[in-house]
Amino acid sequence: MKALVYHGPDSKAWEDVPDAAVQDPTDVVVKVDTTTICGTDLHILQGDVPAVTDGRILGHEAVGTITAVGDAVSGFSVGDRVLVPAITKCGRCAYCQRGMPSHCQTVGGIGWIFGHLIDGTQAEYVRVPYADTSLYAVPQGVTDEQAIFLADSLPTGYEVGVLAGNVRPGDTVAVVGAGAVGLSAVLTTGLWGASKVIAIDSNKFRLEKALEFGATDAVEVGPGTVGDVTALTDGLGVDVAIEAVGYPETLLTAASLVRPGGTIANVGVHGTPVELPMQDMWISNVTLTMGLVDTVSIPTLLKMVAGGRIPAEKMGTHEFTFDQIDEAYDVFKNAAANQALKVVIRP
């Protein structure tokens, strides 16, 4: 089979590799019908994730069809159409039992193993461990384009942003960063009845998309960003500020927007230390949350997509074939210049 293989920083190749096969009784093999690229894949190619070594197949999101089933698998059969999520879970360890499969001990202490600790989904076929507790059947009527973004970006925006931020009916919410994950937060914030959702970004295209996705207001980053948001919230600031970028300045922006008693939900992946103004924040009773997605919200999100409540397909702006995967990476890496959100990649 062919797959996209990592060969060190700034080096990858679409090449022949051994066929994916069942190795353990709990495995299945999935023929990949649709995959996509995540910002984490770009971090890997920059050499930021040392656990990813030469020869690893990249990718951690897929929709596909099961072609082989291990002897211990009881919930899925050959021919089933499934969503392969970014997080793998055994379902039995202490962290899985408490609803935190992002730290599944059985698979290595972190649920994100595809394209990280084992071969990933940017391939013609992928081996999926612990299939019974990790895979999700895709309902009839839900397209590949809708389902693929439930593998990572939509659950991330929803779980680490909206749910961790404790959004409640009537709340005012600011989403700092209107990339794929920020827009996922915008798409799902309305499920909890937020009265005002303010998207903040430096890119006009993303702000336009945020308004399409349900934001009530869009604020372009500039010297007056805090003042603009404050004016939109009767001078109070927001109840919840969701940071979806991962830079010190964006987290500081989120911190400056939240009102006393509010919550800062940090979703962005930070690669450098951030110094927060704790001397000002403590007295304002501000809550700060952060974390890695668990993808436990996928069943709920699948129902919402199937029922037409979440137009997940809007996330995809560009389509490519496997043979065009290098071009797909170039477009996604230069998302702002290409007016790209997420790419859809098929055989």
Side-chain angles (χ1 to χ4, degrees):
M1 72 176 195
K2 287 188 175 292
L4 189 69
V5 181
Y6 174 74
H7 290 300
D10 298 318
S11 180
K12 65 186 186 316
W14 181 252
E15 60 189 46
D16 290 316
V17 298
D19 290 344
V22 169
Q23 296 179 14
D24 297 308
T26 57
D27 292 351
V28 303
V29 174
V30 173
K31 178 182 181 295
V32 176
D33 298 322
T34 307
T35 187
T36 186
I37 303 170
C38 178
T40 305
D41 297 318
L42 300 183
H43 280 290
I44 290 170
L45 286 167
Q46 291 169 2
D48 294 342
V49 188
V52 181
T53 55
D54 187 357
R56 176 69 65 231
I57 296 172
L58 296 171
H60 53 264
E61 303 156 88
V63 177
T65 306
I66 294 176
T67 59
V69 177
D71 292 341
V73 176
S74 60
F76 295 95
S77 303
V78 170
D80 286 351
R81 184 163 163 260
V82 293
L83 170 66
V84 182
I87 300 297
T88 301
K89 57 180 180 289
C90 74
R92 297 187 299 273
C93 73
Y95 284 102
C96 284
Q97 289 293 314
R98 64 184 291 189
M100 288 181 62
S102 57
H103 295 280
C104 176
Q105 297 299 291
T106 307
V107 300
I110 185 167
W112 167 44
I113 59 174
F114 289 118
H116 181 206
L117 305 181
I118 68 170
D119 286 336
T121 60
Q122 290 170 10
E124 292 179 319
Y125 294 86
V126 60
R127 178 180 73 92
V128 180
Y130 297 98
D132 275 336
T133 47
S134 298
L135 290 177
Y136 298 89
V138 179
Q140 285 189 347
V142 174
T143 66
D144 286 2
E145 295 88 341
Q146 292 173 315
I148 187 61
F149 303 121
L150 294 175
D152 190 352
S153 56
L154 267 167
T156 297
Y158 183 54
E159 293 178 17
V160 191
V162 176
L163 295 184
N166 199 34
V167 175
R168 289 295 178 264
D171 278 356
T172 55
V173 180
V175 179
V176 182
V181 171
L183 289 173
S184 296
V186 170
L187 267 179
T188 55
T189 299
L191 299 178
W192 288 92
S195 63
K196 189 180 289 289
V197 180
I198 306 164
I200 301 165
D201 204 286
S202 59
N203 184 282
K204 288 185 170 61
F205 168 73
R206 288 178 171 179
L207 291 175
E208 290 170 3
K209 284 295 181 182
L211 293 171
E212 289 181 23
F213 282 27
T216 57
D217 301 272
V219 173
E220 188 171 356
V221 171
T225 298
V226 174
D228 291 342
V229 174
T230 302
L232 289 168
T233 56
D234 299 323
L236 298 175
V238 298
D239 295 293
V240 182
I242 298 173
E243 194 282 334
V245 184
Y247 292 145
E249 55 267 34
T250 50
L251 183 55
L252 288 169
T253 296
S256 68
L257 299 176
V258 71
R259 68 179 66 182
T263 301
I264 305 162
N266 178 82
V267 188
V269 178
H270 290 270
T272 58
V274 183
E275 184 175 334
L276 290 171
M278 299 299 290
Q279 71 280 4
D280 300 322
M281 293 171 62
W282 76 271
I283 204 168
S284 293
N285 298 75
V286 170
T287 298
L288 172 63
T289 67
M290 65 195 78
L292 177 63
V293 67
D294 289 298
T295 66
V296 293
S297 65
I298 287 178
T300 297
L301 294 175
L302 272 172
K303 290 178 184 177
M304 292 295 182
V305 169
R309 292 291 306 278
I310 299 177
E313 67 280 1
K314 285 187 175 183
M315 299 291 296
T317 54
H318 294 69
E319 295 189 10
F320 300 93
T321 64
F322 280 155
D323 290 339
Q324 298 170 311
I325 200 163
D326 283 336
E327 182 182 350
Y329 263 86
D330 288 341
V331 167
F332 186 69
K333 182 179 180 180
N334 299 289
N338 291 295
Q339 295 191 336
L341 298 177
K342 293 283 281 185
V343 299
V344 177
I345 307 172
R346 297 189 179 91

